[in-house]
Amino acid sequence: MSKLPGWLGRLGAELTELGDRLEQRRDEAAGHGAGRTGLPESGDAGPAGDVPVPAAAAADVPAGAVRVADERPGEEPAGEERRGAAADRVPPPPSYAPSVAARPDPVAAIPWGMRVAAEAGWRLLVLAGTLWVLMRVISAVQLVVLAFVAALLVTAMLQPTVARLRGYGLPRGLATAVTAVLGFVIMGLVGWFVVWQVMDNIDTLSDKVRDGIEELKRWLLDSPFHVTEQQINDIAKNLSDTIGTNTEQITSAGLEGVTVMVEVLTGILLAMFSTLFLLYDGRRIWHWVLKLVPAQARPGVAGAGPRAWRTLTAYVRGTVIVALIDAIFIGLGIFFLDVPMAVPLAVFIFLFAFIPLVGAVISGALAVVVALVTEGVFTALMVLAVVLAVQQIEGHVLQPFILGRAVRVHPLAVVLSVAAGGMIAGIGGAVVAVPLVAVTNTVVGYLRTYGQEQALRYAPSPRGATALDVAPTPAPGSPPENGDRDDENGAGGGTKGSS
């Protein structure tokens, strides 16, 4: 009996809360917007069974609400928790409210093409930023990079000689020393010979140039262009005035030329030093580089490295052979046409042949200009014919036969790479641009094939009808594989045994 007053109090509180909810539901349904009106206090309320609950209101009671009539005496009150849950619960919209479609997911609202473009865009931005930083670093140490690349090219040309000497029984150090000394001596002699020929024929060439200018002047006076001697003198005067006005620029250019010569000598020494170590310890250097590559990418890089080196070696040896043939035949043509400085011009043709397409045009134009100034128009046309004939034979016969498929780069890629290399690093960049593109082409092709093979190797094996679809089928008339041959032998043996 002592618990009865407390139980009645709790029951009254629950009924009051239930009445408030019902009144709120009625106000919302009727649209009056009036405030809540309380039910009779707990003292005026009768038993739980005397409180009428309409069916509609009972249906509107949330599913989480606990009926008061089910509460038994002796249970602890939970009114505060229920009030908190009721306050947090959002009532559903009325039946007359218009239906509002749910907002779609922002990811699903963006078109697929735009999402793909955005994904590719930020990745391209990252790659462009990486390339920009790399180019800035290369520009800062341009001399070191060009010297090392030149050392790689020279090493690719001399490495077969080292391998051949080691095959004859010479130690690695001695073979490297002999090859390096002979190679550097030959290059030095070629450079000295070119300088000697130019200095020895510079007086004769200047006289020839002066005579050629006078002959050109007479030809212009007699030509149908109606050029007068006064106009020619004005042009010569303007030229001399321009040279006199820009004396300071010419002097500064001379000082810059001295600085360039110092940098060239430094690069030559660095290239020689790097070549010596690459010839002697190239394999160990490559293994050290492989250790810097992440372990997952190391097998692919280890396979791409030797193929890239073979491509570079084939390019250098093929280019040297083609350049030597061009220099010999064009030099002989210039020599038999009595053009002065035939040997230095032949050496220039050999050196410029290392710049594909562009170098041949520059060296041929130089030979034609020298022939025009010194020997006249007819000799210049003959030199032009010799240059074009040799270059056509080189492009259509020598390069496909000597270089073959080892170095196959589209002419458009050659021109663009030479132009980009020249803009970035001058003549050195133009020389190393094409071998760099050829090596990159080889590496990318191998890595793409390697990635496809790895994907097929680790892909789950097909089963059932799919396995029959992807199973290799032998060509008509081809001999059976080993497994089929064993099956046939086993079947034949069984037949013999049964017979």
Side-chain angles (χ1 to χ4, degrees), residues 229-264:
E229 186 173 1
Q230 182 63 33
Q231 292 175 342
I232 297 176
N233 293 332
D234 291 340
I235 294 174
K237 185 176 182 301
N238 292 332
L239 183 61
S240 61
D241 292 342
T242 303
I243 295 175
T245 304
N246 298 325
T247 305
E248 296 182 359
Q249 287 81 357
I250 295 174
T251 305
S252 62
L255 295 177
E256 291 179 359
V258 173
T259 305
V260 169
M261 288 300 299
V262 174
E263 292 182 355
V264 168

Side-chain angles (χ1 to χ4, degrees), residues 154-395:
V154 176
T155 303
M157 182 174 59
L158 299 180
Q159 193 269 338
T161 305
V162 175
R164 189 170 300 174
L165 291 177
R166 292 194 62 188
Y168 292 154
L170 270 71
R172 182 175 60 180
L174 183 59
T176 301
V178 171
T179 304
V181 169
L182 288 178
F184 295 146
V185 166
I186 292 174
M187 294 180 197
L189 288 177
V190 169
W192 170 80
F193 182 74
V194 171
V195 174
W196 172 57
Q197 287 291 319
V198 171
M199 297 302 296
D200 189 44
N201 292 279
I202 191 67
D203 296 333
T204 304
L205 182 62
S206 62
D207 295 337
K208 291 281 188 180
V209 169
R210 190 178 299 108
D211 295 339
I213 292 175
E214 292 295 332
E215 183 179 356
L216 180 62
K217 181 179 178 180
R218 289 193 297 270
W219 180 82
L220 289 174
L221 291 175
D222 298 335
S223 67
F225 298 109
H226 304 289
V227 179
T228 62
E229 186 173 1
Q230 182 63 33
Q231 292 175 342
I232 297 176
N233 293 332
D234 291 340
I235 294 174
K237 185 176 182 301
N238 292 332
L239 183 61
S240 61
D241 292 342
T242 303
I243 295 175
T245 304
N246 298 325
T247 305
E248 296 182 359
Q249 287 81 357
I250 295 174
T251 305
S252 62
L255 295 177
E256 291 179 359
V258 173
T259 305
V260 169
M261 288 300 299
V262 174
E263 292 182 355
V264 168
L265 292 177
T266 305
I268 290 174
L269 293 177
L270 184 59
M272 293 173 61
F273 187 76
S274 301
T275 302
L276 187 62
F277 276 94
L278 288 174
L279 287 173
Y280 179 76
D281 216 7
R283 186 178 298 275
R284 189 176 301 176
I285 295 174
W286 170 244
H287 289 164
W288 176 79
V289 172
L290 282 179
K291 293 180 181 179
L292 303 178
V293 180
Q296 295 180 350
R298 195 172 299 164
V301 176
R307 289 167 175 80
W309 181 251
R310 284 197 293 269
T311 300
L312 183 61
T313 304
Y315 173 82
V316 172
R317 285 193 287 180
T319 304
V320 167
I321 294 174
V322 171
L324 187 61
I325 294 175
D326 285 353
I328 290 174
F329 283 97
I330 296 178
L332 288 176
I334 295 174
F335 177 76
F336 286 118
L337 290 173
D338 291 332
V339 178
M341 293 196 306
V343 176
L345 288 175
V347 174
F348 277 114
I349 291 171
F350 172 80
L351 295 177
F352 276 93
F354 284 91
I355 307 176
L357 298 181
V358 180
V361 174
I362 295 175
S363 60
L366 179 63
V368 172
V369 168
V370 172
L372 176 63
V373 173
T374 57
E375 299 297 330
V377 178
F378 177 76
T379 305
L381 292 176
M382 296 300 296
V383 171
L384 178 62
V386 171
V387 170
L388 291 178
V390 174
Q391 289 181 357
Q392 289 298 317
I393 295 174
E394 168 205 337

